Amino acid sequence: MQPALEFPRGFLWGAATSAYQIEGSPLADGAGPGIWHRFTHTPGTIADGATGDVACDHYRRWRDDVALMRALGLRAYRFSIAWPRVLPDGRGRVNPRGLDFYERLVDALLEHGIEPLATLYHWDLPAALDDRGGWLNPDSTDWFADYARIVYRRLDDRVRRWLTVNEPAVVADGGYLRGTMAPGHRNRFEAPIAAHHLLLAHGAAVQAYRAEGHHAIGIALNLEPQHPASDDAADHAAARRADAWTNRLGLDPVLLGRYPDELRTLFGAAWPHGPDDDLARIRQPLDFIGCNYYTRRVVRHDEGAGLLQAAPVPQGAPCSALGWEVFPHGLVEVLGWLRDQYGNPPVHITENGMALHEPAALAGDELEDAPRMTYLRAHLRALQAAIGRGCDVRGYCAWSLLDNFEWAAGYAPRFGLVHVDYATQRRTPKASARLYARIIATNGRALAE
Ligand code: FCB
């Protein structure tokens, strides 16, 4: 007999998306361009030249999508607000129609008994601000806090859980060090500065929330164990460096008020020397931590691999369509860090899911996504184990509600519980969506099926 895998009472079951990945109509109703609009329209940046111009057309189909969430029995929905819709120039003039869109969405969610979790920054910086240096400009902290205040004033009476920045370390790495994500810079001097400003912006948005808001706020961090490929000291050191840049770059300043020493060594003169009180501004008391968990990385020292001197090593284990190893135990591990090294804050799993290559069009109403079902079951069991070991996890959002625009990888890797036929915009729940609906309805007991 399998043990009953019931989750704590009131566990918040949901699914997540982000604005640029699903909405489409990026310039509709007075919105300004964002950096992802600009990046996707730059030749050579995205697989197959894909853009978010249409995506899942959620900007026009949001009503149906909320009905779909309701049909799946979701209790929560994590979405992001597109800054360029609210402030077309990034600051100054507010575009009321942008705010209206999110207000309608939130009202529809609440009417259906679905708790909104709103992310303020899921990577779509207004292009006008990028023209002023974007996250390299020290004023970005104030720009973000001003934008956040505008959104709180409109929606905090209905949105009770907020996330400031999604994955600051991924933005610094992809956007400013490797150039694979918007704004596409490749500069070892810029990356730590961008990271520092993103973290300061987080702190400023939390401070603004304490003055204006009445509910709960946190940050979404991508946590990914970095395991050394061997017992060799050089591999261990490479794994520590990768861990500092991937995980502790967010965790340490936000929760402990300091940066990992490895980063100062690694970046040398490029590491920002801000005023001493910067770290105090970054470390604001939070109501919860959002944890995005997908995979682990196995790294070995590699002199030729540039700054971080680590190379991912394939393990021969099952992998997603993005080549990410399926490693459920890593979820127990990262939640153990939060419990043991960071004061056991309340946690929401804000993303977790698996990309697969699946047909663009379905012949009927069925898609048996067995690997995703296995992934979901295994990660929820890992989550259950972590909770059993004292981790304070309050909710789980699957990534993603819908197949969507997977950044530089375009539309080929599909993450959805619900299939999207991009030619017709038809939505079809996959077998994993039906499994997830049963898990939600039984508060986890269906995991024993
Ligand atoms: C995360 C992002 C999210 C999605 C998943 C697969 O890093 O937050 O937007 O693309 O990866």
Side-chain angles (χ1 to χ4, degrees):
M1 260 268 288
Q2 297 250 25
L5 291 166
E6 181 128 9
F7 279 72
R9 270 167 72 96
F11 193 78
L12 201 56
W13 295 101
T17 62
S18 88
Y20 190 76
Q21 293 179 277
I22 65 163
E23 286 177 356
S25 308
L27 303 179
D29 298 333
I35 54 172
W36 270 94
H37 181 70
R38 193 180 263 179
F39 192 63
T40 56
H41 285 267
T42 305
T45 55
I46 310 291
D48 300 334
T51 73
D53 288 1
V54 178
C56 306
D57 198 22
H58 171 79
Y59 190 73
R60 299 190 305 146
R61 293 168 193 265
W62 58 275
R63 247 181 254 280
D64 295 343
D65 289 337
V66 174
L68 187 60
M69 295 175 213
R70 168 76 193 165
L72 295 175
L74 297 190
R75 307 276 154 77
Y77 174 55
R78 175 178 176 227
F79 63 98
S80 77
I81 292 165
W83 185 349
R85 290 199 195 280
V86 177
L87 290 153
D89 306 316
R91 50 192 201 138
R93 184 176 54 89
V94 175
N95 173 36
R97 286 182 295 171
L99 277 172
D100 290 348
F101 171 70
Y102 295 105
E103 179 165 71
R104 284 193 296 269
L105 174 66
V106 164
D107 286 344
L109 291 167
L110 293 173
E111 271 162 35
H112 287 79
I114 301 167
E115 182 80 28
L117 267 76
T119 307
L120 290 166
Y121 187 69
H122 205 124
W123 305 356
D124 38 10
L125 186 75
L129 297 183
D130 198 45
D131 292 340
R132 296 175 170 269
W135 293 113
L136 300 172
N137 188 328
D139 292 344
S140 54
T141 306
D142 291 338
W143 300 335
F144 187 62
D146 291 345
Y147 152 64
R149 238 176 251 116
I150 290 163
V151 179
Y152 300 151
R153 285 180 189 155
R154 185 70 173 267
L155 294 177
D156 189 57
D157 58 342
R158 283 155 286 176
V159 172
R160 294 191 301 169
R161 286 186 182 80
W162 295 89
L163 291 147
T164 55
V165 176
N166 182 66
E167 301 183 348
V170 174
V171 176
D173 184 73
Y176 291 87
L177 184 65
R178 295 179 209 271
T180 50
M181 311 188 96
H185 300 194
R186 247 181 238 130
N187 188 316
R188 61 170 292 187
F189 285 90
E190 289 183 359
I193 295 169
H196 188 63
H197 289 152
L198 280 153
L199 292 165
L200 275 170
H202 153 77
V206 176
Q207 282 179 323
Y209 191 72
R210 297 305 173 208
E212 307 265 342
H214 297 100
H215 305 106
I217 192 158
I219 183 170
L221 300 175
N222 178 48
L223 301 181
E224 185 181 289
Q226 307 289 312
H227 291 156
S230 78
D231 286 341
D232 198 296
D235 287 347
H236 275 263
R240 291 282 300 168
R241 285 195 297 272
D243 176 54
W245 180 241
T246 310
N247 301 309
R248 285 179 285 134
L249 172 61
L251 288 168
D252 286 11
V254 164
L255 293 168
L256 306 176
R258 59 170 188 251
Y259 279 118
D261 290 339
E262 289 91 339
L263 294 182
R264 293 180 203 280
T265 316
L266 206 56
F267 285 91
W271 194 257
H273 298 281
D276 288 347
D277 64 356
D278 271 11
L279 281 158
R281 289 172 66 204
I282 293 171
R283 183 197 191 184
Q284 296 296 317
L286 298 180
D287 301 301
F288 66 97
I289 291 291
C291 165
N292 296 352
Y293 177 78
Y294 289 94
T295 186
R296 69 158 172 176
R297 218 162 359 145
V298 177
V299 295
R300 69 176 148 72
H301 179 70
D302 176 1
E303 210 53 68
L307 185 68
L308 295 169
Q309 295 181 328
V313 177
Q315 289 301 294
C319 278
S320 78
L322 287 168
W324 300 355
E325 181 185 350
V326 177
F327 190 71
H329 185 72
L331 183 55
V332 181
E333 190 174 332
V334 303
L335 291 170
W337 303 339
L338 288 166
R339 182 194 55 208
D340 300 337
Q341 293 156 45
Y342 298 96
N344 206 15
V347 177
H348 282 262
I349 304 301
T350 34
E351 293 180 23
N352 174 242
M354 183 181 193
L356 294 170
H357 289 299
E358 291 167 329
L362 302 181
D365 288 331
E366 296 291 323
L367 181 63
E368 288 298 325
D369 51 344
R372 186 174 291 108
M373 293 165 78
T374 306
Y375 184 99
L376 181 65
R377 282 197 187 95
H379 285 79
L380 289 176
R381 286 193 179 122
L383 189 55
Q384 178 75 33
I387 294 171
R389 293 177 203 172
C391 299
D392 186 5
V393 185
R394 309 284 178 91
Y396 173 92
C397 281
W399 183 271
S400 180
L401 175 70
L402 303 170
D403 290 337
N404 61 49
F405 174 73
E406 179 44 37
W407 309 114
Y411 291 96
R414 290 171 177 266
F415 268 100
L417 296 169
V418 175
H419 180 271
V420 176
D421 180 332
Y422 295 110
T424 61
Q425 291 295 342
R426 186 166 81 112
R427 273 75 162 140
T428 309
K430 304 176 191 176
S432 60
R434 291 193 291 275
L435 169 64
Y436 192 43
R438 290 198 299 280
I439 291 170
I440 296 174
T442 60
N443 200 27
R445 285 192 310 280
L447 283 172
E449 278 174 11

